[in-house]
Amino acid sequence: MRVVVIGAGGLGGPIAIAAAASGAEVTVVDADVVELSNLHRQVQFGMADLGRAKATALAARIGGRGVVARFEAGNAAELTVDADVVVDGSDDPETKFLVADQARALGRPYVIAAALRHGGNVFAGAPGRACYRCLFEAPPDDAATCGDSGVLGPLVGWVGGVAARRALALGGGDLDPAGSIWVLDDLRRGGPREVRLERRRGCVCEGP
Ligand SMILES: [Zn+2]
């Protein structure tokens, strides 16, 4: 199974490690370098990795392929064309929508993971099911990021683990999670819930 992980940070790390440990061929895409402030929640990196490209360092750790680049419209098709499943673990709403749109265009299953402050969510999509835009429609203008608002360190391991499990199911042909979102609103106030989504009338995924 070929898994492409967008983002090699707090979510991309656990996602890529879990996918590789299960035997998947993993490609990691990230343009950033490892900084000291990353280490408390990006446990895939150590002091020796400071200044290295995250994609390179994470790929070396898991025996995968690292692509030091920002995932954008110009390279999205090339980076995902061989993927059995595409997983977003980035910290950027525009990237999440691009990953979802690209996977939908290719007819591939995909997983979009997000974590912020004390909560997170994991969306799973596949052809014919409710898509990311059925739920979120378009990127928000003022989305908070972990860089601005912070995220509880251990949370990303949990959310990343859920994302990896869903990605491996979808990539292996089990489409049961597709069209649903796993949501942890605030881990101080209760456990996660799962919401199965209907397709939204008028959404881009309805097609011509
Ligand atoms: Zn849709």
Side-chain angles (χ1 to χ4, degrees):
M1 186 193 308
R2 286 178 298 257
V3 179
V4 174
V5 181
I6 311 302
L11 289 168
I15 293 167
I17 289 168
S22 79
E25 282 177 41
V26 179
T27 297
V28 180
V29 182
D30 197 308
D32 290 344
V33 298
V34 180
E35 296 175 35
L36 187 60
S37 64
N38 301 146
L39 296 185
H40 74 288
R41 68 168 184 269
Q42 300 183 18
V43 296
Q44 66 271 31
F45 304 126
M47 291 297 286
D49 294 314
L50 291 179
R52 288 182 80 191
K54 290 183 181 179
T56 306
L58 179 56
R61 164 133 190 219
I62 62 171
R65 182 169 81 102
V67 177
V68 183
R70 194 179 154 76
F71 186 79
E72 51 199 7
N75 61 16
E78 180 192 347
L79 288 170
T80 54
V81 68
D82 290 334
D84 293 307
V85 58
V86 186
V87 192
D88 172 88
S90 76
D91 186 20
D92 173 44
E94 301 279 350
T95 302
K96 292 181 185 308
F97 278 84
L98 180 59
V99 170
D101 290 343
Q102 176 62 32
R104 198 185 65 244
L106 276 174
R108 298 289 194 286
Y110 60 97
V111 172
I112 311 288
L116 191 68
R117 301 188 190 102
H118 299 96
N121 59 68
V122 177
F123 181 92
R129 306 292 182 91
C131 81
Y132 195 63
R133 285 185 186 272
C134 284
L135 180 60
F136 294 113
E137 299 197 29
D141 294 329
D142 57 346
T145 67
C146 293
D148 310 326
S149 305
V151 62
L152 188 68
L155 180 68
V156 292
W158 186 6
V159 176
V162 171
R165 198 174 70 222
R166 301 201 151 195
L168 292 168
L170 293 173
D174 171 9
L175 298 185
D176 189 53
S180 74
I181 187 166
W182 177 97
V183 183
L184 180 64
D185 291 314
D186 186 327
L187 57 71
R188 298 166 301 180
R189 298 198 184 96
R193 60 203 164 90
E194 184 159 350
V195 182
R196 190 154 284 281
L197 305 161
E198 297 291 329
R199 294 178 81 177
R200 178 171 57 82
R201 189 169 296 177
C203 181
V204 289
C205 68
E206 280 194 333

